[in-house]
Amino acid sequence: MPNETVKLAQVYKSFGELEVLKGIDLTVNSGETVVMLGSSGSGKSTLLRCINFMETPTAGHIYLHGDRVGAEKSGKIYYRESELCKLRSKIGMVFQHFNLFPHMTVLQNVMEGQITVLKRGKSESIQKAQAQLERVGLLDKADEYPSRLSGGQKQRVAIARALAMDPEVMLFDEVTSALDPELVGEVLKTMRQLAEDGMTMVIVTHELGFAYHVANRVLFLDDGVILEQGVPHDILKHPKTQRMREFLEGHSLFKLPE
Amino acid sequence: MNTDWLAAAKARCASMQHNWDFATIIQNWPVLMVGLKGTVWIFLVTVVIGLSTGLIVGICRYAKNRWIRWPATALVEIFRNTPVLVQIIWFYYAFPILTGIDVNPFLAAVLGISLNTMAFSAEIYRAGIQSIEPGQWEAGKAIGMTYSQTMRRIILPVALRRILPALTNRGIEVFKMSTLASVVAYVETLSKAKLIADLNYNPIEAYTAVAILFFVVLYPIVQLTYVLERTLRKSDA
Ligand SMILES: Nc1ncnc2c1ncn2[C@@H]1O[C@H](COP(=O)(O)OP(=O)(O)O)[C@@H](O)[C@H]1O
Ligand SMILES: [Mg+2]
């Protein structure tokens, strides 16, 4: 049986009256690359943000390596802040707008979590930071400030910053959407390399070509439920539902390979 | 008719021609310096207390928990909307009667000026913290930082850079506010100048000397902070 890294069981999330996630069941196995598709407002970001508790689910359970997050008392689930911080330190997240720390150099950005959260020593942190910067091809920018980098470089630093925490799983939320078209490729290439290295990843993207070539599994989220899922070839070429067909037609400008 | 009035005014001005005489001021220079020492001392005490308590209150003003936020808001509004002069006098005359706790001139002035500085700087800190993009909080949170770690390591360092000019202005304000301590006879520059003026009948020179003294002390310091701001701005955008 494959090693379940992340499991969501009947996860619901509402913002006030608005129910955004309506019973999500999802298992991500170790080393798997899952790509999540869906139109704007379908709840993709919310689902991703529930996995590392940037948002707290209204109901349902989330497991990391089989351990359930939170403690249940008389039917209600309680989360301690310290438990959630620990959990988040094991789950890497990369954002659409990079969110690098502007007052720190690239190297310091990648060291920060190691030192403040993991309490690693300085020399070890530097070593690990340099290794991850090397991995995303930006070791030569280690001493630059983020403001001096291009969007694509910023995003690769953000990826290195997450990787330096030795995460069990990486979450990507439309990480190429804010980039100039000519910079998208370098970031996708980095992510593809991670997938080949066996990193467990959940990726929200509109890059259908990337989904087709890199994903092990593609999910289609629609109105807070997983409407379809399957291997890229099946789901992208032969969608079963009308909703997904419409969605894919809307993306015809990202041509799928024949 | 109009010109008559103007002529009269001019004549009056001429009769009030003042012969500047700074000799007595120079004679009393050591007395003024004792006053300046008092000014610098109360400035240092109030600026440190005011800006550090202001930081705490400013962070509390930003808190999600209303039981933290409301008292902080109350403090800010009370001390922002009452005159410092009245506060100093109140702490000196009213507070001891109401509480039985003795308050000397120094303490009364420190309380009044510090609390006012706290209130105004708290708003500066809060605005600085609020100016930081929410994505910075998210990034800190996502790598497992606690609220206070994110605040200390990510939010405040950038916020402080942004509000440095506003805090500098506050500092200058505090330095000048120190003269209000003279109202309860705390020994500082203005009270010493008044003493000199009373003894030598030269209030014009005495108070002019105070103004010049403040300018001479503050101007170079302000220039220095400009340099500091420029250096800080280079490191980030
Ligand atoms: N913090 C929030 N407060 C209130 N509503 C939110 C919040 N976050 C997201 N939503 C709403 O939830 C819905 C799904 O949002 P999101 O998960 O961002 O969708 P997607 O990423 O698929 O575009 C949207 O209608 C959005 O307005
Ligand atoms: Mg989204």
Side-chain angles (χ1 to χ4, degrees):
Chain A
M1 185 183 135
N3 182 357
E4 292 178 0
T5 300
V6 174
K7 194 173 113 183
L8 283 71
Q10 282 300 300
V11 167
Y12 289 79
K13 175 67 186 178
S14 304
F15 295 105
E17 296 284 282
L18 181 72
E19 190 171 48
V20 177
L21 298 182
K22 303 169 180 174
I24 301 286
D25 288 303
L26 170 66
T27 303
V28 182
N29 293 318
S30 174
E32 198 179 14
T33 300
V34 174
V35 167
M36 186 154 48
L37 304 176
S39 45
S40 173
S42 58
K44 304 181 297 295
S45 295
T46 305
L47 173 49
L48 218 52
R49 292 163 60 84
C50 278
I51 296 178
N52 66 344
F53 283 79
M54 297 294 279
E55 304 286 355
T56 306
T58 318
H61 294 298
I62 294 173
Y63 302 78
L64 187 67
H65 285 309
D67 296 326
R68 196 176 70 196
V69 184
E72 195 161 354
K73 243 188 261 161
S74 51
K76 211 175 168 327
I77 314 164
Y78 295 89
Y79 302 101
R80 274 181 305 117
E81 193 52 32
S82 58
E83 182 190 11
L84 295 186
C85 283
K86 187 130 189 270
L87 177 88
R88 289 186 202 114
S89 74
K90 295 183 201 167
I91 301 178
M93 182 170 235
V94 186
F95 304 90
Q96 184 175 353
H97 294 288
F98 332 125
N99 303 343
L100 294 179
F101 307 133
H103 58 304
M104 297 181 186
T105 63
V106 164
L107 189 73
Q108 288 167 335
N109 263 277
V110 185
M111 289 168 66
E112 181 57 30
Q114 302 185 63
I115 288 181
T116 308
V117 179
L118 301 182
K119 313 286 182 207
R120 278 185 191 149
K122 195 170 169 200
S123 60
E124 189 191 355
S125 302
I126 292 176
Q127 253 174 23
K128 295 233 178 198
Q130 286 173 336
Q132 296 306 339
L133 285 173
E134 173 103 75
R135 193 172 180 184
V136 299
L138 286 172
L139 189 52
D140 57 322
K141 301 285 183 197
D143 296 323
E144 294 279 9
Y145 281 91
S147 57
R148 302 279 308 264
L149 303 182
S150 74
Q153 291 170 332
K154 282 182 193 166
Q155 197 56 294
R156 282 145 67 201
V157 173
I159 293 172
R161 176 174 68 182
L163 289 174
M165 305 293 287
D166 296 328
E168 320 250 346
V169 54
M170 289 278 285
L171 311 175
F172 295 83
D173 194 358
E174 299 198 28
V175 298
T176 56
S177 298
L179 297 178
D180 292 335
E182 74 270 22
L183 301 177
V184 169
E186 62 186 75
V187 174
L188 291 182
K189 203 175 119 205
T190 303
M191 291 161 69
R192 182 175 196 151
Q193 188 58 51
L194 286 182
E196 282 164 12
D197 293 348
M199 176 60 73
T200 312
M201 303 198 279
V202 184
I203 300 169
V204 172
T205 184
H206 291 287
E207 303 287 339
L208 295 190
F210 178 85
Y212 188 84
H213 288 292
V214 182
N216 301 114
R217 180 154 50 115
V218 175
L219 311 177
F220 178 64
L221 199 66
D222 186 59
D223 196 21
V225 296
I226 296 176
L227 203 59
E228 283 192 52
Q229 59 178 308
V231 293
H233 182 81
D234 291 349
I235 187 169
L236 293 174
K237 294 276 179 142
H238 310 288
K240 293 191 197 74
T241 59
Q242 182 60 27
R243 294 286 296 163
M244 176 131 197
R245 265 192 295 277
E246 283 164 13
F247 172 83
L248 290 176
E249 275 159 22
H251 282 72
S252 58
L253 68 164
F254 301 97
K255 269 196 227 73
L256 278 178
E258 296 309 314
Chain B
M1 199 166 60
N2 227 344
T3 45
D4 283 357
W5 173 82
L6 201 63
K10 274 186 177 160
R12 211 164 53 236
C13 275
S15 74
M16 290 200 317
Q17 273 285 303
H18 183 72
N19 290 317
W20 292 93
D21 175 17
F22 277 102
T24 45
I25 300 296
I26 291 163
Q27 271 167 26
N28 286 293
W29 194 248
V31 180
L32 265 185
M33 284 302 106
V34 170
L36 185 62
K37 235 165 89 181
T39 296
V40 170
W41 175 235
I42 201 165
F43 162 74
L44 289 176
V45 171
T46 50
V47 87
V48 167
I49 297 178
L51 292 187
S52 50
T53 53
L55 175 60
I56 297 166
V57 174
I59 289 173
C60 292
R61 285 269 285 139
Y62 183 76
K64 281 189 212 86
N65 185 332
R66 70 179 91 139
W67 299 112
I68 298 173
R69 201 172 62 236
W70 286 352
T73 306
L75 270 180
V76 167
E77 294 306 344
I78 289 169
F79 291 103
R80 203 162 57 141
N81 296 301
T82 48
V84 188
L85 187 57
V86 173
Q87 284 166 28
I88 295 174
I89 294 172
W90 190 87
F91 277 117
Y92 191 61
Y93 293 105
F95 188 77
I97 295 171
L98 295 175
T99 62
I101 300 167
D102 212 28
V103 175
N104 63 28
F106 176 73
L107 187 57
V110 164
L111 281 171
I113 299 171
S114 300
L115 288 167
N116 181 270
T117 308
M118 174 193 80
F120 274 96
S121 65
E123 287 304 274
I124 298 173
Y125 288 117
R126 184 186 56 79
I129 293 169
Q130 273 175 346
S131 79
I132 305 294
E133 307 66 44
Q136 293 289 306
W137 284 103
E138 300 239 300
K141 195 173 171 183
I143 52 174
M145 284 187 173
T146 62
Y147 177 88
S148 76
Q149 284 172 335
T150 310
M151 183 66 101
R152 266 186 296 117
R153 305 275 313 171
I154 312 298
I155 306 300
L156 280 182
V158 179
L160 288 180
R161 265 163 235 236
R162 281 189 195 167
I163 63 178
L164 192 69
L167 286 181
T168 309
N169 274 336
R170 251 313 94 198
I172 295 165
E173 235 17 80
V174 175
F175 195 82
K176 293 185 291 185
M177 250 194 270
S178 66
T179 53
L180 295 177
S182 63
V183 75
V184 288
Y186 172 72
V187 174
E188 47 70 67
T189 316
L190 185 60
S191 63
K192 281 297 183 192
K194 184 170 183 325
L195 190 72
I196 295 168
D198 289 349
L199 291 176
N200 300 284
Y201 310 107
N202 60 349
I204 297 184
E205 284 81 359
Y207 294 125
T208 306
V210 172
I212 293 172
L213 209 54
F214 270 86
F215 185 86
V216 166
V217 172
L218 280 177
Y219 187 76
I221 296 177
V222 172
Q223 297 308 306
L224 217 71
T225 61
Y226 286 148
V227 176
L228 180 66
E229 273 167 37
R230 239 173 288 138
T231 339
L232 279 177
R233 213 173 307 139
K234 268 185 206 140
S235 70
D236 72 48

